[in-house]
Amino acid sequence: MSLTTVAEDLERLRTTYRTGRTKTYEWRIGQLEALSRMMDEQETRFADALAGDMHRGHTESITTDLAVVRGDLKDAIKHLKKWMKPENVKMPLVLGTGAKCEVIREPLGVALIIGAWNYPIMLTLGPLIGAIAGGNCAVIKPSELPKACAVAVERSVKEYLDPDAFAVVQGGIPETTEILAQRYDYIFFTGSPPVGRIVMEAATKHLTPLTLELGGKSPAIVAADADLEVAAKRIVQGKFLNAGQTCIGVDYVMVEEAVADDLIDRLKNEIVAFYGTNPKTSQDLARIINDANFDRLVGLIGDNEVAIGGDHDREERYIGPTMLVDVPPDAEVMSEEIFGPIMPVVRVGSIPEAIEHVVEGEKPLALYVFSKDKKLQRQVMARTSSGGACINDTLTHIAIPEAPFGGVGYSGMGQYHGKYGFDTFTHAKTVLTRTTKLDPDLRYPPYEGMKATLAEKMM
Ligand code: NAD
């Protein structure tokens, strides 16, 4: 790919956008329905690509990458007409005579969508739903790491969507640097906080608005009164789904001392129940995306005390589901986002201590709390800030099409899914329409005497 190609793609997309055809309801619904057909007809293509790139189990692919896109698509197709309707706004009495005010959701133009590698279908096609619903054209840049998925996205977009409105461009860092040098009307980036900074800098040059979907250390907090049996299952799933390579995955666990040993035993049991005594042979355990991440993760296990797992094989980029216990607070595994199948469990004296730990760090993308006590649940929600949260569950908040998904602070800015995705990719334009039949002199100078007094009182 060369700069000329991206520039040419962009010019083609801009020309299409200027014709105005992407703004019509018919075009948008047609593209959303085509995307929906693609998700059904190419299910095997996507699932095979995910299996090839990451050893992702078929069911896991369908219930994560594909299910989230499908859920969002269904919601967008159902509500598009309503979302596109201008919203009537009540006017203040003094301004309202012979006038009406509407908020129109205006498309932005040509958007750039950059995806991360861990859910390569969901993180490219998911934001695309909002872009299409909003009436935009889009350049899509999938992550270069899951190669088969990047190709599957490119082929599918070419086969199903309007070729003059969408372009998939491939490449790693040098190519993305070139892509970012161009001007877009919106940038939607999913990836790590350090690269988010690079993308934001590039956006600054053209004052391009953007969404940053980033990561962070998402904790699971387990109170002494929690249903430990269910908590253990949901934490193990929240950690080891996609071999821990999930932006909202459980990064580490904080458990009240009184039930720590009990929880650790249950977590061990669930790991064995989910992945067997030899997880290497499990159909449901993905592999690490590349050697660099494999080496980084093995380094994070380091000298910490391993309660279960710790086994690894570089050739296969396999790391067994690993639980670390009694990890010192200054260990590397407790400072950087793990993004792999390693779960440190930290004992805390009380829930306020766990809250304090969260508050002192960067705001996470997700936070999970397990407790039956409603007051404590509310206390954790009120005192901590995170992109999203679950009480007595992990991960599932991402799968609600009508709820916003996004980070806060270091874990990102902006949201998408459902109407939030539509809003992200449109501009809320206030339009006032006034009759010329009524034209009270009160608003115009010169302001003198009674007219001045009245104008000051009423305006
Ligand atoms: P990454 O930041 O390394 O890469 C993301 C994208 O940026 C890729 O398309 C890549 O090609 C590009 N890129 C990488 N380095 C670049 C550079 N120097 N200049 C320009 N472009 C560059 O992230 P990743 O490794 O693909 O994904 C893992 C990270 O993404 C984790 O931090 C994870 O938490 C986060 N993530 C967040 C979400 C979310 O929805 N918030 C979802 C998935 C992953």
Side-chain angles (χ1 to χ4, degrees):
M1 192 213 62
S2 70
L3 189 56
T4 340
T5 331
V6 186
E8 281 166 3
D9 277 336
L10 255 174
E11 202 36 54
R12 189 177 79 254
L13 269 46
R14 277 212 188 94
T15 306
T16 306
Y17 183 72
R18 280 192 216 112
T19 65
R21 86 178 139 95
T22 68
K23 297 182 180 178
T24 64
Y25 172 78
E26 289 68 29
W27 182 87
R28 300 186 205 192
I29 199 76
Q31 293 302 298
L32 290 173
E33 281 167 352
L35 192 50
S36 179
R37 259 195 326 278
M38 176 210 289
M39 296 310 293
D40 290 340
E41 292 170 8
Q42 299 310 325
E43 177 177 297
T44 309
R45 177 188 285 175
F46 291 136
D48 286 354
L50 286 160
D53 284 328
M54 288 184 244
H55 188 262
R56 182 88 82 68
H58 186 81
T59 305
E60 198 170 293
S61 293
I62 305 297
T63 55
T64 57
D65 259 282
L66 276 71
V68 172
V69 177
R70 281 177 169 147
D72 265 5
L73 261 171
K74 222 170 136 188
D75 182 63
I77 289 170
K78 187 170 167 201
H79 295 116
L80 180 64
K81 214 168 234 168
K82 190 167 132 208
W83 295 346
M84 286 177 69
K85 265 205 181 128
E87 185 194 333
N88 280 316
V89 177
K90 232 174 137 186
M91 303 267 292
L93 193 63
V94 65
L95 294 176
T97 334
K100 71 165 185 165
C101 180
E102 289 178 328
V103 177
I104 291 175
R105 301 295 324 193
E106 185 178 79
L108 297 174
V110 181
L112 170 65
I113 296 168
I114 301 179
W117 56 262
N118 55 332
Y119 290 91
I121 312 301
M122 174 171 91
L123 301 176
T124 46
L125 302 184
L128 186 62
I129 298 169
I132 296 175
N136 302 279
C137 297
V139 173
I140 303 151
K141 210 299 287 182
S143 169
E144 70 283 17
L145 300 183
K147 290 189 183 64
C149 289
V151 170
V153 168
E154 181 171 1
R155 268 185 70 191
S156 308
V157 167
K158 268 194 186 135
E159 287 168 11
Y160 286 84
L161 299 185
D162 183 341
D164 291 325
F166 304 105
V168 178
V169 290
Q170 305 284 2
I173 297 177
E175 292 81 5
T176 316
T177 308
E178 288 186 8
I179 293 165
L180 281 168
Q182 301 291 314
R183 182 173 185 166
Y184 305 88
D185 299 294
Y186 200 82
I187 298 177
F188 191 104
F189 171 79
T190 305
S192 60
V195 180
R197 195 173 284 134
I198 294 171
V199 172
M200 198 161 177
E201 269 175 30
T204 309
K205 190 172 161 223
H206 299 296
L207 289 180
T208 306
L210 81 169
T211 292
L212 296 176
E213 292 285 344
L214 309 177
K217 288 186 84 62
S218 302
I221 300 172
V222 184
D225 74 323
D227 179 333
L228 295 184
E229 190 184 335
V230 175
K233 277 194 199 132
R234 293 180 184 173
I235 289 172
V236 169
Q237 183 180 43
K239 178 77 218 186
F240 299 106
L241 181 84
N242 201 23
Q245 303 164 116
T246 300
C247 56
I248 50 165
V250 172
D251 188 274
Y252 62 101
V253 180
M254 287 187 281
V255 53
E256 272 193 287
E257 180 67 63
V259 293
D261 288 335
D262 194 354
L263 181 75
I264 289 167
D265 281 345
R266 289 173 190 270
L267 290 168
K268 272 193 223 168
N269 292 341
E270 294 307 338
I271 290 172
V272 176
F274 283 19
Y275 303 107
T277 47
N278 181 9
K280 206 173 178 181
T281 59
S282 166
Q283 295 279 318
D284 299 312
L285 185 69
R287 296 298 184 258
I288 306 307
I289 186 70
N290 61 7
D291 290 345
N293 271 299
F294 176 89
D295 293 340
R296 178 184 65 80
L297 287 164
V298 171
L300 285 182
I301 298 175
D303 301 330
N304 292 298
E305 188 181 331
V306 174
I308 187 168
D311 52 321
H312 46 84
D313 174 354
R314 195 169 195 272
E315 192 113 312
E316 272 199 38
R317 294 198 307 272
Y318 158 82
I319 299 179
T322 299
M323 178 163 53
L324 306 177
V325 288
D326 299 325
V327 178
D330 59 347
E332 218 181 330
V333 76
M334 285 306 293
S335 59
E336 71 172 72
E337 181 182 5
I338 300 171
F339 220 59
I342 302 168
M343 178 168 65
V345 179
V346 177
R347 295 160 194 265
V348 289
S350 65
I351 296 303
E353 194 186 312
I355 292 174
E356 208 49 45
H357 179 83
V358 175
V359 171
E360 277 172 8
E362 297 290 359
K363 293 177 181 177
L365 185 58
L367 182 142
Y368 305 115
V369 59
F370 288 86
S371 168
K372 293 186 197 113
D373 179 351
K374 290 211 161 40
K375 201 168 145 213
L376 189 137
Q377 296 169 357
R378 277 199 299 274
Q379 186 190 356
V380 175
M381 288 306 124
R383 292 205 43 213
T384 60
S385 175
S386 60
C390 293
I391 295 166
N392 292 324
D393 204 356
T394 61
L395 308 174
T396 42
H397 63 296
I398 195 176
I400 302 157
E402 295 193 31
F405 178 79
V408 56
Y410 202 68
S411 56
M413 58 179 81
Q415 329 56 47
Y416 70 132
H417 289 194
K419 172 76 158 56
Y420 294 89
F422 174 83
D423 286 350
T424 289
F425 284 98
T426 51
H427 163 63
K429 181 161 84 176
T430 297
V431 179
L432 181 138
T433 311
R434 186 183 291 285
T435 177
T436 52
K437 293 206 172 99
L438 293 168
D439 192 24
D441 190 47
L442 192 63
R443 60 187 278 187
Y444 306 118
Y447 302 112
E448 288 163 345
M450 195 53 164
K451 184 176 158 187
T453 316
L454 262 174
E456 284 168 27
K457 275 214 159 73
M458 291 182 71
M459 305 293 274

